[in-house]
Amino acid sequence: MRNLLKASKMATPAKVTKPEGKNNHEAADEQADKEQQEAIEQIDEVQNEIDRLNEQASEEILKVEQKYNKLRQPYFQKRSDLIAKIPNFWVTAFVNHPQVSALLNEEDEEALQFLTKVEVQEFEDIKSGYKINFHFDSNQYFENEVISKEFHLNDTGEPSSKSTPIKWKAGKDLTKKSSTPSKGGRKRNLEEQESFFCWFSDHGDAGADELGEVIKDDIWPNPLQYYLASEIEEDGGDDDLDEEGLMDEEEGDEDDFEGEDDDGEDDEGGEDEGEDEG
């Protein structure tokens, strides 16, 4: 008995195991956060490499554009020489263009009858801007032979524009007249219609000059498609009429055929009646 008591005094109590579920969960969360952060850092490194390649590609593309811009110049000049042989080429192209035509009133169209040449000159480095030149014959509206508008992008990326002052003849300043909209459905009301020539003195938002961009990027690359636009529409209208005429003829033939069938049936009916009477 004494030995048992002595043994019981000498025995050390068993340790109670504490629940470690919470600690394990926190450790797993920390590990997941660490892995996620490492992944983000690696993605950032890869993205930097992609951005570097994009910058390199932009530089290479710019070099190609500069090269081919020079190669295109002789063809632009040849095209301009040929266009000069066609009266009212440019005003027709403008009138046939949906966005430009919305900016033209009747007096604008009359003044643009004297427009002999339009040319877009991109600056040598291309990225810093471009210039649009409008060449005119002698006319009753202004003294200028050439009216230009330039668009510039400086080193900080800030856009700006400037243009040739128009030397209007006495009483002929279209920008100060309330003109009637041109024929063909205009978007603006009579009192709101501004002259096309107001665009030359509008430098409020050079970075969002829609007309300049339309002329440079849409009309200038291929003005012939807009010069011919009205003829193409007329040809399309004739085709529609031809198709409608053919359909009418086919319907008429069908009606005639049905009529012959009806007559044939009547004749057969008459013969049957005659046989019955006999």
Side-chain angles (χ1 to χ4, degrees), residues 19-34:
E20 296 181 354
K22 185 176 181 181
N23 292 335
N24 291 338
H25 183 69
E26 290 176 354
D29 287 345
E30 290 177 0
Q31 181 64 25
D33 291 341
K34 182 180 179 181

Side-chain angles (χ1 to χ4, degrees), residues 90-91 94 111-118 134-137:
W90 285 106
V91 66
F94 284 174
L112 290 174
Q113 300 286 332
F114 299 94
L115 180 62
T116 59
K117 181 180 179 181
V118 174
F134 297 78
H135 297 254
F136 290 88
D137 272 339

Side-chain angles (χ1 to χ4, degrees), residues 207-238:
D209 194 303
E210 293 184 8
L211 180 54
E213 292 174 0
V214 164
I215 294 173
K216 180 176 78 76
D217 298 329
D218 194 11
I219 297 178
W220 174 248
N222 185 7
L224 183 62
Q225 64 177 325
Y226 292 106
Y227 175 78
L228 298 174
S230 59
E231 295 181 11
I232 294 172
E233 288 177 1
E234 289 175 2
D235 291 342
D238 292 340

Side-chain angles (χ1 to χ4, degrees), residues 69-70 72-77 79-80 83 90 94 117-124 126 129-135 146-151 199 211-223:
N69 185 50
K70 291 180 180 179
R72 283 191 290 262
Q73 296 311 310
Y75 295 96
F76 284 146
Q77 183 59 49
R79 186 182 70 183
S80 293
I83 287 175
W90 285 106
F94 284 174
K117 181 180 179 181
V118 174
E119 58 182 347
V120 175
Q121 297 176 335
E122 294 190 88
F123 299 152
E124 189 172 353
I126 294 182
Y130 60 96
K131 180 180 182 180
I132 305 177
N133 298 318
F134 297 78
H135 297 254
V146 181
I147 303 174
S148 303
K149 188 167 185 178
E150 299 182 26
F151 298 87
W199 171 70
L211 180 54
E213 292 174 0
V214 164
I215 294 173
K216 180 176 78 76
D217 298 329
D218 194 11
I219 297 178
W220 174 248
N222 185 7

Side-chain angles (χ1 to χ4, degrees), residues 188-204:
R188 300 183 179 187
N189 294 326
L190 174 61
E191 63 274 13
E192 296 176 347
Q193 181 75 10
E194 287 185 344
S195 170
F196 167 84
F197 291 89
C198 291
W199 171 70
F200 288 97
S201 58
D202 182 5
H203 306 293

